[in-house]
Amino acid sequence: MAGAHSLSLSFFFSSLVLSLSAGSVFSATFTLVNRCTYTVWPGILSNAGTPQLSTTGFALNPGDSFPISAPTSWSGRMWGRTLCSQDSTTGKFTCVTGDCGSGALECGGGGAAPPATLAEFTLNGANGLDFYDVSLVDGYNLPMLVVPQGGTGGNCSNTGCVVDLNASCPSELQVLNAVSTSGGGGVGGGPCVACKSACEAFGDPKYCCSGEYATPDICKPSAYSEFFKNACPRAYSYAYDDGTSTFTCESADYVVIFCPTPSAR
Ligand SMILES: *[C@@H]1O[C@H](CO)[C@@H](O)[C@H](O)[C@H]1NC(C)=O
Ligand SMILES: *[C@@H]1O[C@H](CO)[C@@H](O)[C@H](O)[C@H]1NC(C)=O
């Protein structure tokens, strides 16, 4: 054990030296923390043209935290998958919310099926600033908070959605978990486990800010986007919510917390 440990440590340092000399200096550490009372399976999707991180999906037990290094100029998103299980016959791994379609623990380039709360990052963007936000544009599945640490400049503050919107989600937006019946295949009827965006629920361009509504002066907040905005004023509630929902920091690390407050588990 001890031998294997020091071997992996020396491997770690030699790969660190290698990557430093190759110029891909790590620029930020993301620490994912699960304060939910249930297991969360984080998913990570790198944007096109930026490298994948060391993991794209894993299990995070209640109370656990997991640090991940990201290289300079990384951009992508993180979310939490809930109610995941592996099929005992096919071995296929699926989640009731936030599923990334890979059929496995690692998402490997798959994004979250909506509805899912998303934390979005662009490191070292315009003026060297990191841009970050928590988005409910693709709906909501669990409370998330992004806490920048050690950063300067910009409006470098916490952002997220800390309340449990499953409980207050309008019925037409609710995703109900299947009730497992002995006959199998029960659909709906269970508790609300996620809350759709109006765009996903109705597909209407005026909610999606698509088609003739694809400009900020035409696509306005709706009663549905205002439901999200009132509950979570710092999170994106619809596509053109940038002014109150984008935050910036310089040289920060980020803690990404699932279920940050005890009242929102
Ligand atoms: C919200 O959904 C999660 C699973 O995604 C569930 O554990 C939690 O109990 C739900 N909250 C409410 C209030 O139903
Ligand atoms: C934070 O700063 C950015 C960049 O200047 C700005 O676009 C955004 O509106 C600011 N966010 C808030 C919530 O004030």
Side-chain angles (χ1 to χ4, degrees):
M1 284 303 266
H5 188 205
S6 56
L7 198 74
S8 64
L9 256 186
S10 66
F11 175 74
F12 172 77
F13 283 115
S14 51
S15 36
L16 188 68
V17 168
L18 268 177
S19 58
L20 286 174
S21 56
S24 68
V25 178
F26 287 134
S27 75
T29 300
F30 293 102
T31 304
L32 280 62
V33 179
N34 182 7
R35 290 205 197 129
C36 302
T37 52
Y38 46 88
T39 301
V40 172
W41 289 263
I44 303 173
L45 176 65
S46 298
N47 289 348
T50 95
Q52 276 198 355
L53 302 186
S54 54
T55 175
T56 57
F58 57 97
L60 196 58
N61 290 321
D64 281 1
S65 64
F66 190 82
I68 302 166
S69 298
T72 298
S73 302
W74 183 80
S75 68
R77 52 181 56 178
M78 302 178 181
W79 68 98
R81 294 171 287 173
T82 67
L83 303 165
C84 303
S85 59
Q86 186 164 24
D87 188 286
S88 55
T89 35
T90 63
K92 197 176 169 202
F93 182 82
T94 54
C95 304
V96 175
T97 78
D99 192 72
C100 55
S102 65
L105 196 54
E106 293 266 346
C107 287
T117 315
L118 304 173
E120 305 179 302
F121 296 91
T122 299
L123 304 181
N124 316 103
N127 303 318
L129 292 171
D130 299 344
F131 290 76
Y132 59 101
D133 64 77
V134 168
S135 174
L136 307 177
V137 173
D138 286 340
Y140 166 99
N141 71 329
L142 82 179
M144 280 179 89
L145 185 69
V146 173
V147 180
Q149 293 196 321
T152 55
N155 41 29
C156 192
S157 56
N158 295 1
T159 185
C161 180
V162 301
V163 300
D164 187 338
L165 290 182
N166 291 344
S168 54
C169 182
S171 57
E172 59 274 38
L173 303 182
Q174 289 180 359
V175 176
L176 303 180
N177 197 8
V179 179
S180 50
T181 57
S182 47
V187 171
C192 175
V193 292
C195 192
K196 291 179 199 170
S197 66
C199 171
E200 197 209 344
F202 310 116
D204 186 331
K206 92 172 169 247
Y207 296 130
C208 300
C209 300
S210 58
E212 57 185 309
Y213 290 89
T215 57
D217 48 325
I218 296 174
C219 200
K220 295 296 178 197
S222 65
Y224 291 111
S225 72
E226 277 166 0
F227 158 74
F228 290 105
K229 198 67 185 175
N230 290 337
C232 297
R234 290 172 168 245
Y236 262 89
S237 61
Y238 77 109
Y240 295 123
D241 207 1
D242 312 71
T244 55
S245 323
T246 300
F247 293 84
T248 57
C249 262
E250 198 172 339
S251 311
D253 291 315
Y254 297 91
V255 182
V256 177
I257 309 172
F258 300 106
C259 307
T261 61
S263 59
R265 303 213 150 166

